[in-house]
């Protein structure tokens, strides 16, 4: 359940931003959680409902952007979509791939009031 | 138009305030683009600086429970105690049992109890370091909570992440728990003295692991028979030398 730690980090970030903006609560929060980030969304949702209680996020509308995994083959330079770290290059079958996208975990934006 | 709250396009108001702050009761959009784990990653960098300044090579040991992390440490610390300096941070949900085992080898050790927590984070390690003050020019083992999932995401500031797997587990662990194998640099396959008695296919295991992480380096060891430990020890010794 590292998802709870993730949620609590988001609550900390939101609390800090709300205070800095002299606002009272978050109306909307936009998150970017890549498909290769290692976050299990059902666990995340469960942790979210628990984690935001009595916080500035308790009434917030949450939007999650989920970038898919993209990788570049180090052997043949092809770029392709991957769903698992062990997916090989579909062109040359190499496992020497570098991840271009999908591992991100960001708070993209907040609307506070 | 006020870029922070959007006011000003379709109505007029007196500018007796400066824009760029929040207006009480009004909305403000914050384009943050902040990494969720930024706080952890900053503390990890701080730990990394501490290690660098003191020439400490730190190793984050991760595995499922029961793969033999503590046994590998006990054996390593006992065999190399006259050649290298060590310190150990033990992470477990409860008890000081592992720290007691390490303490018995004569090595400086601190136990972190995470309570209900399933992983160590950089903040816990920072406090452990402040309390224990590991010796300079040493190897610091940070034994993470036995869990192949959660610790993968948390940088502790370590120089190397070592994942331990034992032959009594399934050889497909690397593809069942790819995140951990993806983020590790070294894979220790432990308990190889049991290979004649278990259906574990060691080549298959390595093949799976290399699919997840083609740069992974392997050590095949047994803490019971001592097989393969020489290579593991040479690797450790090189780490302190090359860092000096």
């Amino acid at each position: 359940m590292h998802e709870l730690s993730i949620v609590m980090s988001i609550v900390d970030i939101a609390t800090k931003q709300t205070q800095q903006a002299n606002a009272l609560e978050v109306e909307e929060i936009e998150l970017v959680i890549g498909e290769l980030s290692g976050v299990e969304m059902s666990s995340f949702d469960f942790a979210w409902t628990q984690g935001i209680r009595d916080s500035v996020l308790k009434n917030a509308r949450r939007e999650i952007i989920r970038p898919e995994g993209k990788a570049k083959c180090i052997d043949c330079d092809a770029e392709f979509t991957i769903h698992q770290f062990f997916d090989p290059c579909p062109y040359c079958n190499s496992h020497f791939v570098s991840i271009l996208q999908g591992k991100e975990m960001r708070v993209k934006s907040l609307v506070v009031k | 138009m006020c870029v922070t709250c959007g006011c000003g396009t379709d109505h007029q108001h007196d500018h007796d305030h400066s824009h760029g702050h929040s207006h009480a009761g009004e909305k403000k959009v914050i384009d943050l683009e902040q990494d969720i784990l930024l706080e952890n990653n900053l503390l990890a960098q701080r730990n990394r600086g501490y290690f660098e300044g003191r020439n400490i090579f730190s190793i984050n040991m991760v595995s499922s429970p029961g793969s033999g992390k503590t046994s590998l440490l006990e054996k390593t610390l006992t065999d190399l105690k006259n050649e290298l300096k060590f310190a150990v941070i033990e992470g477990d949900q409860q008890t000081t049992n592992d720290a007691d085992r390490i303490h018995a080898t004569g090595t400086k050790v601190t136990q972190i109890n995470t309570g209900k927590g399933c992983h160590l984070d950089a903040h816990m390690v920072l406090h452990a370091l402040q309390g224990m003050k590991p010796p300079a020019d040493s190897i610091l083992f940070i034994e993470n909570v036995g869990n192949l999932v959660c610790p993968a995401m948390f940088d502790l500031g370590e120089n190397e992440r070592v994942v331990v797997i034992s032959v009594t587990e399934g050889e497909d662990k690397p593809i069942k728990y790819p995140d951990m194998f993806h983020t590790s640099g070294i894979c220790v396959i432990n308990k190889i003295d049991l290979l004649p008695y278990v259906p574990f296919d060691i080549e298959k295991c390595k093949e799976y692991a290399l699919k997840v992480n083609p740069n992974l380096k392997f050590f095949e060891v047994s803490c019971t028979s001592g097989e393969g430990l020489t290579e593991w020890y040479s690797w450790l010794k090189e780490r302190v030398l090359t860092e000096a």
Side-chain angles (χ1 to χ4, degrees):
Chain A
M1 271 302 276
H2 56 287
E3 284 79 6
L4 186 59
S5 299
I6 308 283
V7 170
M8 296 322 287
S9 300
I10 297 171
V11 171
D12 287 345
I13 292 168
T15 307
K16 206 168 164 184
Q17 291 299 324
T18 308
Q19 281 167 357
Q20 273 176 14
N22 276 327
L24 295 171
E25 62 172 353
V26 178
E27 186 179 89
E28 192 180 326
I29 184 163
E30 204 176 4
L31 307 172
V32 181
I33 300 177
E35 285 182 5
L36 299 176
S37 65
V39 175
E40 189 53 48
M41 289 322 283
S42 55
S43 303
F44 183 82
D45 288 338
F46 176 70
W48 182 265
T49 50
Q50 300 301 315
I52 62 166
R53 280 201 281 182
D54 300 322
S55 80
V56 293
L57 285 169
K58 64 177 185 290
N59 298 316
R61 191 165 64 245
R62 187 191 72 180
E63 187 157 337
I64 301 178
I65 302 164
R66 303 221 62 199
E68 64 176 3
K70 282 212 176 107
K72 183 173 183 162
C73 177
I74 293 168
D75 285 331
C76 79
D77 264 359
E79 286 186 18
F80 51 93
T81 303
I82 62 168
H83 301 289
Q84 297 286 352
F85 289 127
F86 48 79
D87 286 348
C89 169
Y91 303 97
C92 75
N93 229 18
S94 168
H95 282 283
F96 282 92
V97 301
S98 70
I99 310 292
L100 301 174
Q101 179 190 295
K103 289 175 83 173
E104 49 278 84
M105 275 202 306
R106 287 198 313 274
V107 176
K108 185 173 164 57
S109 69
L110 299 154
V111 179
V112 296
K113 63 177 180 184
Chain B
M1 172 178 153
C2 169
V3 290
T4 54
C5 70
C7 65
T9 45
D10 51 13
H11 72 275
Q12 295 292 316
H13 65 198
D14 293 332
H15 279 79
D16 57 348
H17 62 265
S18 63
H19 287 172
H21 68 267
S22 146
H23 312 208
E26 292 179 28
K27 289 180 196 175
K28 180 180 175 187
V29 179
I30 305 166
D31 283 320
L32 194 61
E33 298 289 357
Q34 181 180 321
D35 194 305
I36 291 170
L37 293 179
L38 179 71
E39 206 63 35
N40 183 75
N41 295 343
L42 288 174
L43 290 171
Q45 282 301 80
R46 181 173 161 178
N47 291 344
R48 202 167 272 122
Y50 178 94
F51 298 141
E52 200 177 313
R54 292 173 169 240
N55 188 33
I56 295 170
F57 189 81
S58 58
I59 299 175
N60 182 3
M61 303 271 285
V62 292
S63 82
S64 44
S67 64
K69 290 189 296 303
T70 314
S71 298
L72 179 63
L73 288 189
E74 277 178 311
K75 186 79 180 151
T76 305
L77 299 171
T78 308
D79 288 352
L80 294 185
K81 67 178 168 197
N82 295 324
E83 296 176 65
L84 295 174
K85 282 188 279 184
F86 292 103
V88 178
I89 296 174
E90 279 289 339
D92 284 295
Q93 285 198 316
Q94 296 295 342
T95 83
T96 58
N97 292 356
D98 280 1
D100 295 342
R101 285 170 63 184
I102 300 300
H103 183 71
T105 68
T107 308
K108 204 167 189 179
V109 59
T110 293
Q111 176 83 47
I112 300 175
N113 280 141
T114 59
K116 295 284 171 262
C118 49
H119 58 267
L120 295 178
D121 62 31
H123 193 211
M124 298 177 196
V125 171
L126 174 74
H127 285 309
L129 290 171
Q130 286 166 338
M132 85 183 302
K133 297 191 172 50
D137 307 312
S138 65
I139 289 181
L140 171 72
F141 286 109
I142 306 167
E143 187 182 335
N144 219 312
V145 179
N147 177 341
L148 265 184
V149 186
C150 308
M153 203 175 275
F154 296 86
D155 184 6
L156 306 179
E158 72 266 20
N159 298 92
E160 190 67 85
R161 189 172 290 187
V162 175
V163 58
V164 182
I165 177 174
S166 60
V167 303
T168 52
E169 302 169 51
E171 67 242 347
D172 56 354
K173 279 275 170 78
I175 50 169
K176 277 183 171 167
Y177 302 94
D179 292 272
M180 196 62 94
F181 287 83
H182 186 76
T183 57
S184 296
I186 304 288
C187 177
V188 174
I189 303 176
N190 193 18
K191 309 187 191 177
I192 56 166
D193 55 303
L194 296 178
L195 276 174
Y197 314 105
V198 291
F200 187 89
D201 184 338
I202 200 162
E203 290 311 315
K204 195 83 196 156
C205 176
K206 290 205 258 185
E207 193 186 313
Y208 284 140
L210 286 172
K211 282 184 181 178
V212 177
N213 180 356
N215 300 310
L216 210 53
K217 180 177 166 58
F218 296 92
F219 291 99
E220 297 167 29
V221 306
S222 162
C223 297
T224 308
S225 71
E227 203 180 337
L229 287 173
T230 316
E231 289 79 11
W232 165 245
Y233 293 162
S234 316
W235 180 82
L236 284 175
K237 289 179 206 167
E238 283 166 22
R239 297 283 91 53
V240 191
L241 284 175
T242 52
E243 296 285 304

